[in-house]
Amino acid sequence: MSYCLNPACPNPQNHDHAEVCRACGSELLLRKRYRVSKALGQGGFGATFLAEDESLPGEPSCVIKQLRPATTVAHVLQMARDLFEREARTLGKIGNHPQVPRLLDYFEDNQQFYLVQEYISGLTLQQEVKGAGPLSEAGVKQFLSEILPVLHYIHSQQVIHRDIKPANLIRREQDRKLVLIDFGAVKNQVNPTTASSSSEQTALTAYAIGTPGFAPPEQMAMRPVYASDLYALGVTCVYLLTGKSPKDLDYNPSTGEMLWRKQLQISDHFADVLKKLLEVSVRHRYQSTEEVLRALDLEPYLDSLEQGLTTKPNNSQRPPQTGNRYNSGDLSSPTLSSTPSVGTSASERLAMAIRARREKLGMTGPQTGGSMYKPGAATGSGYPPTMLKNSGSSGNSKPKVPAKLDAVGVLTAYTKGRRDFASQDLSLLNLQRVNLSGGIFHQAKLNKTNLQGADLTSADFGRASLVGAILKEANLGRAYFSTANLEGADLRGADLSFAYLNHANLRGANLCGANLTGAKVSEEQLAQAKTNWATVLPTGKRGFW
């Protein structure tokens, strides 16, 4: 079908290869290259359409957004044009991120303004929830681990999205990654010192405040800040957990707070995270994506951190502590009311803080489940908890050599809840497209192991040997590779966003098409690897290093 873009056309539908509209006579091939096939939706100022670019081989699909203000009043029309141009500038600025639609074209034709974007094929999160039902707590945590790095990138470009909601998050069919769309409400000139001042209350911002229920009070008052997007993210989490939109939930009439807690069966720790995301007062809310990531990162490692950071000291080498109110001979059982002495180490103080946190959360026994680990976030050391745990071992007993596991053994153990595969010899195994997210492979041998397309999100590969490993198209987001040996590894098309690669050996590693957005890696390391025009560098830009 060829669809006419004349807003006044009484019957815009035409047959496939028509040159002009049979109803109004308008040309159907926009700018002699774009053929619109159907309408996708309409908002306050614009309508969106699916189109094909007939000037390119294969006639790839694209999305065309046409400026269509609901009124012709002069000052409102000018506001709409300003917003439209601002959306185009923003997409041109940040559209090089792989999880943001690329701006393909922007032009005026026959006194109409058009914006052409990359077409993202897939379902929105709103459609997913309506079709398959609400997500579990683990599913929403996984969602946050995927979208927070994208939001971090957008905020780093001094852009506030202002319309984060399930309908604006598409799970791309091609690679199942989330893509954030609709930048029509963005604020892209942010001065942190004046973002909440009255000078920001312009007529322009009044027409782009986002979606009621998802937008926080300060944004509705035309004073958006970065934390405004985090509130909308919190509301999105509640929707994903309940399947209910904000209008279907109750609010405290005195404070305006959303009453969501009784609707959910979630852990106290995750409830604390959501509570802080949904604070009505912006000053009490998380202020940055990093703060949210840190809060999520700590939970799965509270128990292992506590054990790894507390060891029984050798009294012959260390004098008794004074000024403490716990037994200096056994650091594994201090009272929570103790006040560490000047001589108490940072590790011991952290262990005590973790125990206090665990008691507050009512957590007992080892913590299991997927990792949300961010290197150094919880410990401040740059080392993952497994390394700290190993460093606390003592005695002269010979280390136990772990039994050799085959691929079936690895998957069976992981399915039963095991996450620790440290020091295992897993070389030459075929583990294509498996889910080992959050796995601990510290000092493990994975030479020539086939992990193509595997989900290894937040896995720990510290000091591991991955010589010649096949990690093509694997999801390695926020994985830890400090001092790992990746010589000759195949990482083509792998997602290494926010991975920790400091001191890893990348000699001869193939990073063509890999996504290194936000990754911790040096220029010298990348110079030893293979990159190409499709490689997304740590800055978010594509190209050779």
Side-chain angles (χ1 to χ4, degrees), residues 405-412 429-431:
L405 286 172
D406 58 12
V408 175
V410 171
L411 293 177
T412 301
L429 297 187
N430 185 358
L431 294 166

Side-chain angles (χ1 to χ4, degrees), residues 227 275-287 291:
K275 183 177 184 296
K276 195 165 181 179
L277 278 171
L278 292 165
E279 283 283 357
V280 171
S281 171
V282 68
R283 71 178 63 184
H284 296 135
R285 200 182 306 150
Y286 290 116
Q287 298 299 301
E291 286 187 21

Side-chain angles (χ1 to χ4, degrees), residues 213-232:
F214 286 89
E218 76 279 357
Q219 184 173 321
M220 299 298 285
M222 285 118 16
R223 299 177 181 177
V225 291
Y226 295 121
S228 304
D229 280 346
L230 297 180
Y231 180 92

